[in-house]
Amino acid sequence: MPEDKFPWDSLFRGGGGDGGELPSIFRRKEGKKPGEGFKERWDKIKPRTKWIVGIIIVVLVIILLSASWLSTFYTDLLWYDEVGYTSVFWKRIVTQIWLFFAFGLLFFVILYANIWMARRFTPRYEKPQGDLSPVEESVTRFRESAGKWLDRGLLALSIIISFIVGWVSAGQWENVLKFFNHTAFGKVDPIFGKDIGYYVFEYPFLRYFTGWLFTSLVFVLIITAVIHFLYGAINFGAGKGQRFATHVKVHLSVLAGIILLVQAWRFRLDMLGLLYSSRGTVTGASYTDVHAQIPAYWILIAACFICAGLFILNIRYKGWKLPLAGVVGIVVVALLAGALYPVIIQNYVVKPKELSREREYIGYNIEFTQDAFRIQDEGEEAVIEVDEFPANLDLTYDQIAANAATIDNIRLWDPRQMAQVYVQRQELRQLYDFNDVDVDRYTVFDDVYTQMMVSGRELVIDQLREDAQTWQNTHLSYTHGYGMVMAPSNELTTEGDPVFFIKNIPPVSEIDLGVEVERPEIYYGEMTQDYVVVRSGAEEIDYPLENTNKLVEPYYEGEGGIPVSNFLKRLAFSIRNADITFLFSGYITGESRLMYRRNIKDRALEVAPFLTLDADPYLMITDDGRQKWILDAYTTTDLYPYSEYLNFYEQDINYIRNSVKVVIDAYDGTVTYYLVDPDDPIAATYGKIFPDLFTPLEEMPEDIKRHLRYPEDLFSVQMEQYKTYHINDVDSFYQKEDVWEVSTETYESATTLPVTPYYIILKLPGEEKEEMVLMLPFNPRGKPNMVDWVAARCDFPNYGRLINFTFPPGRLVNGTQQFESLVDQNPDISAQISLWNQSGSSVIRGNTLVIPIEESLLYVEPLYLEATNPPIPQLKRVIVGYGDRIEMRPTLAEALQAMFGAEPGPEPEPEPQPEPEADVTQLIQQANQVYDEAEAALRSGDWTTYGAKIDQLSQILDQLAELIAEPAQ
């Protein structure tokens, strides 16, 4: 037998002839101890064969241990290929790989080169003579035997540590890519004169690299010193001046000098970091930072250079006193110049005259904060337009009628209350749920611009009965939600329920919306989590039919999901999902497609983890009937110099842009990242890094573009800053004499909360037609009256423009909480609310809306009545406020009629008046007819006719009451 042939036949040959015994290698001979027989046979195997067996075992172990990683890598590649962003995937992977090798090899070279030099120049070890202490005896024995294994051990240690260092450093892929692809902001900081792009894109990597280099060199210095000691080149038992060999002193001195130079570099970066200082009254380098801390850093940098020179110079001298004196000097300078001196300046120079000292730096903070949050309202770079709003009290009914489009879109249904109604009225099956209700707008009846409340009906598999949550039901049968529900924000039935424009399963609409839901299936949504398989051999449930258990079984017609046509793909996904059933299920066919990462936020962030997603995605319908999700995505940073910090989604930021709109198809999961702000340097940088990631806004289809809206969370962040940073004068800003606060309202059960920004369709002052805006009212801090309201425009071509409407000086305008007080003081309203609350139901007070009409302000608040079981809110009353007057009626139209009355206008066509002798039946018929005509006039916005019809209905009801009362007399 050749020497390299492994004796498999002898290892596994049975010993008997009945085939029932163990292979000979595993059987113990008589008289042998356990394991001795195996050991003898193993010892007979040739060394080369043992190496082959060992390699095979190691490879198998590596494959088993890396199976999870390999399956994740492979399935991620398949997923990126599905969504069309493999270039993003490979860019990230390739960058991580070369970073792993670059940092790992650099660390290995630094570490092992110093280890090699320490071993190369080590003198031959000579055993010391005389009596040795126990410690010296142990060190001596180690030194005598070290050469046998220490070299290999140090090499292995260097490789292992370098591997760890490379693995950790690969996580810096994003900072490295931004460093090499940075974009200039076109604006420099006022202290060092560097472009802001340096701080946002280059500074983070430089901080990491200098910290990495400093830590690595300190580690190498320690390891090198230990090796010198172990090999006897450092001997603390020797006489003075002989403890360090000459080559050791040279080696350690050079390393220490390099470390000090790196530390000088770190001090320079710390100096630049003063642009984010919080020492002064605002964020940014303050008077003390500029006049005390920066000079201290320059002194420390000089001290590091001097000390590094002392280490190099000390090579020619004995001992370490000279460089150690330099190190002590650095510590002393750090304590005195870097810590004590700035404290003295801050307390004894700045505080006594803080405003005069800090005026320049407060001005920088105002300028850069306004720029970072896009809230400038003065100068050439102004983003917010400031206009005066008269807030007159001369509004007429004719003006109300002339603004019918605004009145018709006053939001009576609060999205939070509407969500509860949708759940109770339109879930229809236990598996379906509505995550929330979103505000959008559609053009109905060809030309009526209408605000809508929209929500997708998603499938939540956890709501299926526990005993029915089988693997087949979870992954093959119940795969998707179905359709959406849509209702106008201001219409209600006579019972106080919303009027559904789209409802039921399958979706139906009784009006002309201009669009129809052609693809109602929701495979990708806000509430979807687990993977599903379509085109399988199992019955996929589309939706349950009414009153039967019969199910509609569709065949998925889209291209969503990953084909799992071969065994390798099925194996990879089985390992990734820890789901062996998927591998062996007979329902998986060659045409099957696996959908995972179906949660739209996870889907969007997987491709672009550097974006921050808005908390409120919303669903819309395209002209061809497809349902698509729109997600607002933000570019943020916390490295914008002199900008004030703000917490946003649990992270502190001082710069934000809504530069990207992510659109995801609910049926096939297609993801498109539209770049809506190409002037944003952060988005531009990521565009350089990933050239195939962003799609220009110009390529967005018009049927999607008209549903874009200004994000509520972005507006809230901007207004949080603007309530202070609308002050442009430094002295006024310092004194905080004109700080605002968001107006408050009484919400639900007498809870006082800040008003949340709300979408509304209205005609802005000076504009020709209605548009959707996002608005928010403000009060002076600590005062109840309103001082300003700010609107963000949502419709193109004015999308993204902000307008601040201020009131004339000396004009006192009621704030929302003052309106709430007038409501509470109204005896009729208070009595009605008390009565409802005592009858087993609860009254819910909706949002207080401030509605600009012409040059006046209306206040509108809906009242909902909610039964205890089931808890379905119904809109029962609408409260309207104007000036100090309050009216409450069942509908908005009636409340406006009561508030303003019917002013003279075009006379409606005369209607036949009921005869006094008419009987009860005739009067009832006439009342129904007049009521229907009034409702028709209301829907068409004909307020004059509506008022006339209401008066006529009142006369009919009075006559009816007289006829009914006559028999009783």
Side-chain angles (χ1 to χ4, degrees):
M1 179 182 71
E3 292 183 358
D4 59 347
K5 182 179 180 182
F6 189 84
W8 299 104
D9 54 343
S10 64
L11 282 175
F12 297 102
R13 184 173 60 247
D18 56 1
E21 296 185 10
L22 292 170
S24 59
I25 192 172
F26 297 111
R27 289 186 287 107
R28 176 168 56 92
K29 294 182 179 181
E30 295 182 5
K32 298 288 185 178
K33 294 182 180 180
E36 288 184 351
F38 178 83
K39 184 176 183 300
E40 290 177 359
R41 293 177 180 275
W42 180 257
D43 290 341
K44 293 180 182 180
I45 299 174
K46 301 297 182 181
R48 185 175 179 181
T49 306
K50 291 181 179 179
W51 272 102
I52 294 173
V53 173
I55 292 172
I56 292 173
I57 294 173
V58 169
V59 170
L60 290 174
V61 170
I62 292 174
I63 291 175
L64 290 175
L65 293 177
S66 61
S68 176
W69 181 85
L70 288 173
S71 67
T72 300
F73 176 85
Y74 181 52
T75 53
D76 277 345
L77 177 59
L78 293 174
W79 184 85
Y80 274 87
D81 182 59
E82 177 212 348
V83 296
Y85 292 105
T86 51
S87 62
V88 175
F89 175 80
W90 285 117
K91 184 79 169 187
R92 188 162 59 191
I93 293 297
V94 170
T95 304
Q96 290 174 326
I97 290 173
W98 75 257
L99 280 177
F100 169 79
F101 283 107
F103 278 89
L105 287 174
L106 179 60
F107 182 84
F108 179 81
V109 169
I110 295 173
L111 176 60
Y112 197 71
N114 282 276
I115 291 175
W116 181 84
M117 286 189 290
R119 293 284 290 119
R120 173 70 176 78
F121 298 108
T122 297
R124 175 178 293 183
Y125 174 73
E126 296 182 2
K127 183 176 180 179
Q129 304 298 320
D131 296 332
L132 301 176
S133 66
V135 174
E136 291 174 329
E137 185 67 31
S138 298
V139 172
T140 298
R141 286 198 301 270
F142 172 81
R143 288 170 175 171
E144 290 175 345
S145 61
K148 300 177 182 179
W149 55 268
L150 189 58
D151 287 343
R152 292 181 179 178
L154 290 173
L155 177 60
L157 178 66
S158 299
I159 293 174
I160 292 172
I161 297 178
S162 298
F163 181 89
I164 296 173
V165 169
W167 187 271
V168 173
S169 299
Q172 292 294 313
W173 65 269
E174 186 178 343
N175 283 336
V176 170
L177 288 174
K178 289 192 295 184
F179 180 86
F180 289 109
N181 295 276
H182 59 270
T183 302
F185 274 69
K187 187 181 182 72
V188 299
D189 77 90
I191 304 301
F192 303 106
K194 291 182 176 292
D195 187 271
I196 293 174
Y198 169 83
Y199 299 98
V200 175
F201 303 122
E202 301 178 54
Y203 186 72
F205 175 67
L206 292 176
R207 289 300 298 261
Y208 173 80
F209 181 72
T210 55
W212 176 90
L213 189 59
F214 179 83
T215 304
S216 299
L217 290 172
V218 170
F219 178 81
V220 168
L221 177 67
I222 295 172
I223 292 295
T224 303
V226 170
I227 291 173
H228 281 305
F229 172 74
L230 293 177
Y231 283 102
I234 297 177
N235 187 356
F236 293 106
K240 186 175 182 181
Q242 304 297 321
R243 294 171 182 170
F244 291 85
T246 302
H247 71 280
V248 174
K249 194 172 184 181
V250 172
H251 194 174
L252 298 184
S253 295
V254 171
L255 280 175
I258 296 174
I259 290 172
L260 285 167
L261 294 178
V262 172
Q263 181 57 44
W265 189 5
R266 297 180 73 200
F267 279 140
R268 170 59 176 170
L269 294 177
D270 288 341
M271 183 193 304
L272 299 177
L274 291 175
L275 295 176
Y276 315 104
S277 171
S278 58
R279 174 180 274 135
T281 58
V282 293
T283 295
S286 63
Y287 179 92
T288 300
D289 293 319
V290 173
H291 293 87
Q293 197 69 60
I294 290 178
Y297 275 126
W298 283 121
I299 295 173
L300 285 170
I301 291 170
C304 285
F305 275 94
I306 293 172
C307 190
L310 291 177
F311 270 100
I312 303 302
L313 182 65
N314 191 60
I315 294 174
R316 303 184 58 182
Y317 298 93
K318 294 183 178 181
W320 295 91
K321 291 182 179 180
L322 192 62
L324 288 179
V327 173
V328 172
I330 293 175
V331 174
V332 172
V333 170
L335 292 174
L336 295 180
L340 182 60
Y341 178 61
V343 170
I344 293 174
I345 295 297
Q346 180 68 25
N347 286 281
Y348 298 101
V349 176
V350 175
K351 282 190 175 180
K353 300 177 65 177
E354 189 170 52
L355 178 57
S356 63
R357 302 289 187 189
E358 300 284 11
R359 179 177 283 108
E360 176 184 357
Y361 310 104
I362 294 174
Y364 295 149
N365 175 263
I366 294 173
E367 175 189 349
F368 280 76
T369 300
Q370 289 180 344
D371 182 66
F373 289 90
R374 291 189 74 250
I375 52 175
Q376 308 98 315
D377 59 9
E378 284 188 356
E380 296 181 358
E381 298 182 355
V383 175
I384 300 179
E385 176 185 344
V386 180
D387 290 333
E388 186 173 279
F389 189 83
N392 295 328
L393 294 176
D394 56 359
L395 189 63
T396 67
Y397 195 86
D398 284 342
Q399 290 175 316
I400 293 286
N403 287 270
T406 298
I407 298 298
D408 289 344
N409 281 288
I410 292 177
R411 196 190 75 194
L412 301 181
W413 284 105
D414 185 318
R416 288 165 287 189
Q417 304 304 324
M418 186 69 97
Q420 199 167 342
V421 176
Y422 280 14
V423 168
Q424 295 293 335
R425 301 289 193 195
Q426 283 292 311
E427 267 190 4
L428 305 181
R429 294 295 186 271
Q430 64 174 356
L431 286 176
Y432 297 127
D433 204 349
F434 296 96
N435 186 62
D436 61 0
V437 173
D438 300 304
V439 180
D440 201 352
R441 68 280 199 199
Y442 288 81
T443 300
V444 300
F445 306 117
D446 292 332
D447 62 350
V448 181
Y449 198 47
T450 304
Q451 189 177 80
M452 297 291 185
M453 315 294 281
V454 183
S455 186
R457 186 185 291 105
E458 298 192 53
L459 185 143
V460 182
I461 197 65
D462 292 340
Q463 296 179 185
L464 186 65
R465 275 176 39 183
E466 187 173 351
D467 59 348
Q469 294 183 24
T470 62
W471 184 87
Q472 179 177 333
N473 280 341
T474 301
H475 298 291
L476 306 183
S477 296
Y478 294 101
T479 58
H480 57 271
Y482 205 84
M484 64 162 56
V485 178
M486 181 186 295
S489 62
N490 72 318
E491 290 195 27
L492 63 152
T493 66
T494 54
E495 293 79 18
D497 294 322
V499 177
F500 294 112
F501 279 11
I502 298 178
K503 61 182 178 180
N504 297 343
I505 300 176
V508 296
S509 177
E510 299 177 356
I511 67 164
D512 179 15
L513 281 173
V515 293
E516 293 183 4
V517 182
E518 300 291 346
R519 285 256 66 118
E521 301 90 347
I522 300 177
Y523 286 92
Y524 300 86
E526 295 182 83
M527 306 176 75
T528 50
Q529 298 297 336
D530 214 342
Y531 76 88
V532 298
V533 180
V534 296
R535 297 185 190 173
S536 69
E539 296 177 343
E540 185 186 351
I541 299 171
D542 200 9
Y543 59 88
L545 295 176
E546 292 184 6
N547 304 321
T548 72
N549 292 323
K550 182 180 178 182
L551 304 175
V552 179
E553 302 159 15
Y555 186 79
Y556 180 74
E557 299 174 349
E559 296 300 320
I562 301 167
V564 284
S565 54
N566 60 54
F567 178 79
L568 179 61
K569 292 180 181 180
R570 293 173 64 175
L571 176 63
F573 280 108
S574 295
I575 296 174
R576 182 187 183 111
N577 298 319
D579 187 354
I580 195 66
T581 307
F582 175 77
L583 181 63
F584 295 106
S585 173
Y587 288 122
I588 309 301
T589 70
E591 295 183 354
S592 298
R593 304 179 75 91
L594 181 141
M595 298 177 174
Y596 81 107
R597 287 200 183 106
R598 297 193 301 134
N599 183 282
I600 55 175
K601 289 185 179 180
D602 295 343
R603 201 168 182 83
L605 285 177
E606 174 61 29
V607 177
F610 39 82
L611 298 176
T612 301
L613 294 182
D614 190 89
D616 188 28
Y618 55 101
L619 191 64
M620 51 78 61
I621 315 172
T622 62
D623 287 349
D624 60 357
R626 298 183 72 92
Q627 299 176 118
K628 293 183 182 288
W629 296 96
I630 298 179
L631 298 84
D632 288 287
Y634 308 107
T635 54
T636 63
T637 184
D638 59 352
L639 293 172
Y640 200 92
Y642 268 108
S643 177
E644 200 68 34
Y645 287 95
L646 193 67
N647 187 268
F648 183 65
Y649 292 139
E650 299 183 356
Q651 59 178 338
D652 289 333
I653 64 168
N654 62 1
Y655 174 95
I656 186 171
R657 293 290 186 273
N658 176 215
S659 299
V660 180
K661 304 282 188 180
V662 187
V663 179
I664 300 180
D665 192 292
Y667 185 67
D668 62 21
T670 303
V671 185
T672 308
Y673 298 82
Y674 290 101
L675 183 62
V676 297
D677 186 1
D679 295 329
D680 172 28
I682 297 181
T685 295
Y686 285 117
K688 291 179 182 178
I689 296 171
F690 306 111
D692 301 325
L693 177 60
F694 296 131
T695 300
L697 179 64
E698 292 75 19
E699 297 182 21
M700 177 183 282
E702 286 298 323
D703 56 347
I704 297 178
K705 185 183 292 187
R706 62 173 174 257
H707 289 279
L708 298 185
R709 64 185 194 184
Y710 201 86
E712 182 179 333
D713 286 347
L714 172 64
F715 188 61
S716 296
V717 166
Q718 291 177 301
M719 293 304 99
E720 181 65 25
Q721 295 287 45
Y722 190 59
K723 66 185 185 183
T724 301
Y725 283 88
H726 70 276
I727 306 173
N728 295 290
D729 179 72
V730 173
D731 290 9
S732 299
F733 182 93
Y734 176 81
Q735 294 160 3
K736 299 295 190 292
E737 62 184 26
D738 189 27
V739 175
W740 303 340
E741 61 186 13
V742 177
S743 302
T744 58
E745 64 179 351
T746 301
Y747 184 71
E748 290 192 344
S749 55
T751 302
T752 301
L753 298 172
V755 174
T756 57
Y758 50 91
Y759 294 100
I760 185 171
I761 292 177
L762 55 78
K763 185 167 64 175
L764 289 170
E767 298 295 332
E768 296 296 326
K769 65 177 184 177
E770 285 74 19
E771 60 184 290
M772 190 164 90
V773 302
L774 180 64
M775 64 176 291
L776 188 65
F778 291 94
N779 298 348
R781 187 172 60 181
K783 302 289 185 180
N785 59 289
M786 194 188 311
V787 66
D788 280 78
W789 62 277
V790 181
R793 306 176 75 170
C794 299
D795 294 347
F796 287 90
N798 297 309
Y799 175 87
R801 292 182 56 194
L802 304 180
I803 306 177
N804 172 24
F805 289 97
T806 66
F807 301 129
R811 176 67 57 85
L812 190 64
V813 179
N814 282 344
T816 51
Q817 201 58 52
Q818 288 176 310
F819 163 77
E820 299 283 13
S821 298
L822 292 173
V823 172
D824 294 336
Q825 295 166 9
N826 187 290
D828 294 334
I829 297 177
S830 297
Q832 184 65 69
I833 292 176
S834 298
L835 178 63
W836 277 335
N837 280 326
Q838 294 173 2
S839 59
S841 301
S842 59
V843 175
I844 299 174
R845 297 174 69 160
N847 287 127
T848 300
L849 306 179
V850 181
I851 313 296
I853 303 290
E854 298 291 342
E855 296 182 345
S856 302
L857 292 176
L858 282 179
Y859 303 80
V860 178
E861 178 179 300
L863 286 186
Y864 309 97
L865 187 62
E866 183 180 71
T868 54
N869 190 23
I872 305 177
Q874 291 184 313
L875 201 160
K876 292 300 184 182
R877 293 291 185 273
V878 179
I879 304 173
V880 172
Y882 178 67
D884 292 331
R885 294 181 56 197
I886 297 292
E887 293 290 346
M888 183 178 76
R889 293 293 186 273
T891 66
L892 175 62
E894 293 176 84
L896 291 173
Q897 172 74 15
M899 176 69 71
F900 295 100
E903 292 291 326
E907 291 290 336
E909 295 182 5
E911 297 290 339
Q913 298 297 320
E915 296 294 332
E917 296 81 13
D919 58 20
V920 174
T921 303
Q922 292 175 331
L923 289 175
I924 292 175
Q925 292 175 348
Q926 291 178 3
N928 288 332
Q929 178 183 351
V930 173
Y931 177 78
D932 291 340
E933 293 170 350
E935 286 292 301
L938 174 61
R939 284 193 295 270
S940 64
D942 187 350
W943 296 97
T944 303
T945 302
Y946 176 80
K949 292 294 182 182
I950 291 297
D951 291 339
Q952 183 181 347
L953 179 61
S954 177
Q955 295 175 13
I956 296 173
L957 294 177
D958 290 341
Q959 288 193 2
L960 185 60
E962 292 176 1
L963 286 177
I964 294 174
E966 286 180 0
Q969 296 174 356

